[in-house]
Amino acid sequence: MATNRTDYEPAAIEPHWQQYWESQKTFRAPDDADKPKYYVLDMFPYPSGAGLHIGHPEGYTASDILARYKRARGFNVLHPMGWDAFGLPTEQYAIQTGTHPTVTNARNIENFRGQIKRLGFSYDWDREIDTTDPDYYRWTQWIFLQLFKRGLAYVDERPVWWCPELKTVLANEEVIDGRSERGNHPVERRNLRQWVLRITAYADRLLEDLKGLDWPDSTKRQQEAWIGRSEGAEIEFPIAGDTEESLRVYTTRPDTLFGATYMVIAPEHPAVNKIVTAENRDAVDAYVRKAAQKSDLERTDLAKEKTGVFTGAYAINPVNDQKIPVWVADYVLVSYGTGAIMAVPAHDDRDHEFATEFSIPILQVIENQDLPEAERADLPYTGPGVLINSGAFSGLPSDEAARRITGTLAERNLGRPSVQYRLRDWLFSRQRFWGEPFPIVWLPAQDYDKLDADLRPEEPVRYTADGREWYAAPIAESALPLTLPEVESYQPSGTGESPLANVKEWVDVWYNARTGQTVPATDPRPEGDHWLAARRETNTMPQWAGSCWYHLRYLDPRNQDHLVSPERFQYWGVPDYYIGGAEHAVLHLLYARFWHKFLYDLGVVTEPEPYKKLFHQGIILGEDGEKMSKSRGNVVNPDTIIEEHGADALRAYLMFLGPLEAMKPWKSQGIEGITRFLKKVWRELIDREGNRQSRITDAPETDTETLRLLHETIKKVGEDIEALRLNTAISQMMIFVNHLQKTDTFSLETGKTFVRLLAPFCPHLAEELWERLGETPSVCYAPWPEYDPARLETETVKVVFQVNGKYRGDAQVPKAADQDTVLAAAKDQPRVATHLDGKTIRKVIYVPGKILNIVASP
RNA sequence: GCCCGGAUGGCGGAAUGGUAGACGCUGCGGACUUAAAAUCCGUUCCUUGCAAAAGGGUGAGGGUUCGAGUCCCUCUCCGGGCACCA
C-alpha cells in the first residue's frame, strides 16, 4: 500500500495517502460510536476567487493536529469543513460579468476544496456544508421565522449606514471610522426601512455568560466593551413654561445633578420641534439640517470644536428647581440612552469643553478631598469625591449621594435607576441579490386582519410607505426554503432596493392567510378568500446569518426535518475547540452567541453557549514583515509551497514559525530547515533501497538515554498539542531525531513510537513510514503513546553551583543527596573554590535537583 | 485620550523565580565529491585572553529576592482594540 519510493518524495507520497484517506473514508465521524466525542471546529472560509490564503492553512493545520491527536487518544472526532459562501465579492463578480453567483460559487468552492485537500486535513467531507445551498439556508430562514414570531425581528425606518459604493446598508459592526469594513469605502447616513434583530434583548445574558467562556481575554474584553453595559439613572426634567413637555435624560452620575447648568438634546430628538421657541426656530432648524448631512466621521472627530444652538427653552432641575437652558448639539447621540443629557461641565470633559465654548456657567459640586488644597478646584474633575454646593446632599461621598438622589427622585416619580447598553439592535437586511431571502411577505392593513392567529408575530411588524400601511406575514415553514429567483441583472438599483425588487414574477404572490403558503401571482388566484395578494420582502440577509449556526448543522447536515436532531445534539453538542481569526471578535462571535442562545431558548439545543473554548491564530506577515497583499507582491501561495516542499513541510513549518497566536513573518528560507528535518526522519528509518534501516533492532529498546529522551518527547509533544504550543512540540521532535542520528542502533518500537508522535503534524510521511515499519494503515487510529514517568527519572541529577548567584560549575549528584554532600562536592571544584577563597560563607541555598547557591563575603 | 498585548543574538523564536539564547534559519570553517547538489562535522551574543577563564548582556531606569527575561514601580517604542455611549 505504501509507495515504492526510495527517497522522501512528498510529491509522490502525499497524493497517494490523500487518495487512500478519501477512498477509505478514514475521517468519517460515525454518529453512533461508542466513544467519547471531540468536536474541533474551524472558522469556515468564504470561498473567494483568489483561492486559499496562507492564513487559512495556519489555523486549519493547528486544528487538524488537535483533531488527529484526539483521534489517537481514542475520541470520536468531529472535524468538519464548509463554505460561508454568500457575500459581496461573488455578487460583484456577477454584476461585472453576468455570471450567476451559483456558477462562480461552485467553481470557487471546487478550487478551495482541492487546495484544502492537498494540505491533508482530516475533515469528514461527508458533512460538508454550503450556506448558499437551499437545503442549508432553509434552516437559516427557519431560525429567522422563529425570531420573527417571537418579536425579535422587526422593521424600523431609521438612519442607517449606507455605502454608495457597495450600494447597500451596513451594520454598525461593518463600519470602521466612517468607512466600510469590506472595501474601505466611505459610508453615509440614510433613512431606510430595515429589518432589525433585537439582540439587545439578550444583552445582559451575552455579557453575563462571557465570564464562563475559555476565550482569549482580549476577545472577551472586546465583546464586553461592545455590549457596553452602564448603570445610572434616568431623570425627568420638566420644560419651563406653559407646557406638559419634559425631557428625560440618562446619566451615570446622578450625584452631580446640582451641577447641571444646561441640557443638551440630540439634533434628531423628537422633542426638538416641540420645545424650540419661535425666535430660535430658524437657527435650530438650520443646525439640525446640517447635522443630518454630516457624516459620522465628521460628527465624531474629536479634534473638532463642539457645536450647538440654544433652543430658547428652559428645563427645571428637579432637585433645586433651577431653570437651565436646553441646547441642541450633535455631541449627544439620539441612539444612546434617552438622546438627551443633563450637562455638568464641572465634572464631564465634553460638557466642560462645550460650556467653555459657549460661556455657560460651570458649577463645581464634587470635591476630591484627597487632593492638595490648591488642586481641589481644578476642573473638569471626573472622579469620585464629596458633594459640595448640593443642598442637603452636600458632604456625602459621591457614590452614596448618587443612590440617595436617585431614591429621592424615584419617590417623586421624577427618576429611576437605569441600565443602558452601548449595544444596538442588529441591522439585519441588505439590498443585495446574493443572500438568504427573507421568508416574509407584505400585506396591506385590511388583509392583515384575515391572517390566521398562528401566523401572527407577538407584535405586528409594519411600516408605512406612500400613505399605506404594510404588515409583515411569515411564509409557512413547510414552504421553506424560499429560493432565490433567476434574474437578468444583478445590478443594485441604488435606491435602497435589492435587485430582487425588479423580479416581478417572484415578488408578487398569492398568499394563503391560513397556511402561509404562496403561489406566484402569475398563476391564477387559487379558490377561497383567504388567498391574498402580497409582495415578497426583497431584502436579503447579511453574510453573518449563515455562520450564526453552522456549528450545529455539521452535526446533522442532511436532516430534512430538523435543523439538528435532538439525538445528534445530545451526542455531539457544541464544539470543544474553536479555532479562527481574531478579526471576528465582535461580529461573527457575538451574532452566533445571540442566535445560539435563542435556539437554546427554543429548546433546539441544550447548551446556552456555542463556543466554549476559542483560540485565535495570529496573522502571518509577508517576508518583508508587512501584511500580505497583492499590491505589495508579498503574498505566499500555499500551492506553490506544496509543489516545492510538500504539504507536510508546509504544515510543520507554519506551526514552527512561532507561537500560534503570534503575528509572525513568513521566511522562505526557514522552510528548508523543516524539509531537512523530514528528510532526516526518513533517512533514520528507511535505507537507500526503501527498506527499514538495518540498524533498527527488533529487540526492546535498551539505550537508557534513548528511552529517557523518547519518553520526554512523548510527554512534551502531547502536552504541547493540548495547549497548541506546536512550535515547541516540533522542536522537541527535532531534538529527538538529532539524538537518533547519533545513536548506533535503536529499536523498531522506538521508531514506531516516534512516527505516531509525528503523525498529527506530518500525516502523509507518517502513514508512509508506519506501513514501511511493518504496520497496517492507518496510523491515524494507532493509539497515542503513553509516557512512563519512571523513564523520565534519572539516577543522578545535575546541580548547578553558584557563588553569590553566579554560575561557577555544576556536577551530577545522586538525586537524594543532602545539602552537605552537595556543598562538599561544590567546594571540591577549583572554580567554586577560587571564588570562595578568602571569604566567609554566610548562607547556602540548596534547591534539590536544581541549584546550590553559596552566599559568601569577605 | 482610555483599555489590552508585546520588546530576548544577524533573523524566527526557547526558557514552572534557578546555567539566557533550546530548536531552526543565516554566516563562517572543514569533511565527502573530478565538481556541484545532497549529506555530515565544527563554529556563530558582546568585550578581554593563546588558553583556562574573567567581565558584561533579555527596550531604558529603579525596586523586591540568595538568585529576575520571568515579580513590582516609572518611562520609551511597537502592535491591537475602543474612542463624544453622558
Side-chain angles (χ1 to χ4, degrees), chain A residues 219-260:
Chain A
T219 304
K220 285 207 223 182
R221 268 196 303 273
Q222 273 185 63
Q223 289 216 351
E224 211 178 295
W226 192 263
I227 295 165
R229 183 189 149 97
S230 91
E231 285 182 27
E234 285 179 33
I235 301 174
E236 217 73 49
F237 282 67
I239 296 295
D242 291 339
T243 173
E244 292 296 295
E245 286 296 323
S246 77
L247 282 176
R248 181 181 296 181
V249 305
Y250 172 72
T251 179
T252 54
R253 292 297 298 273
D255 52 314
T256 64
L257 184 50
F258 284 84

Side-chain angles (χ1 to χ4, degrees), chain A residues 729-765:
Chain A
I730 293 173
S731 295
Q732 183 63 36
M733 289 192 284
M734 287 173 167
I735 291 169
F736 181 72
V737 174
N738 287 346
H739 169 79
L740 280 192
Q741 197 178 14
K742 290 182 177 74
T743 58
D744 296 328
T745 174
F746 59 89
S747 80
L748 179 62
E749 202 47 50
T750 296
K752 289 200 288 203
T753 301
F754 175 75
V755 168
R756 284 185 284 163
L757 299 182
L758 181 69
F761 298 82
C762 302
H764 310 89
L765 174 58

Side-chain angles (χ1 to χ4, degrees), chain A residues 141-142 144-145 437-441 473-476 480 482 537 541:
Chain A
Q141 292 172 328
W142 182 86
F144 176 82
L145 278 183
F438 282 82
I440 293 288
V441 297
I475 284 172
L480 299 180
L482 171 62
E537 170 62 59
M541 299 184 198

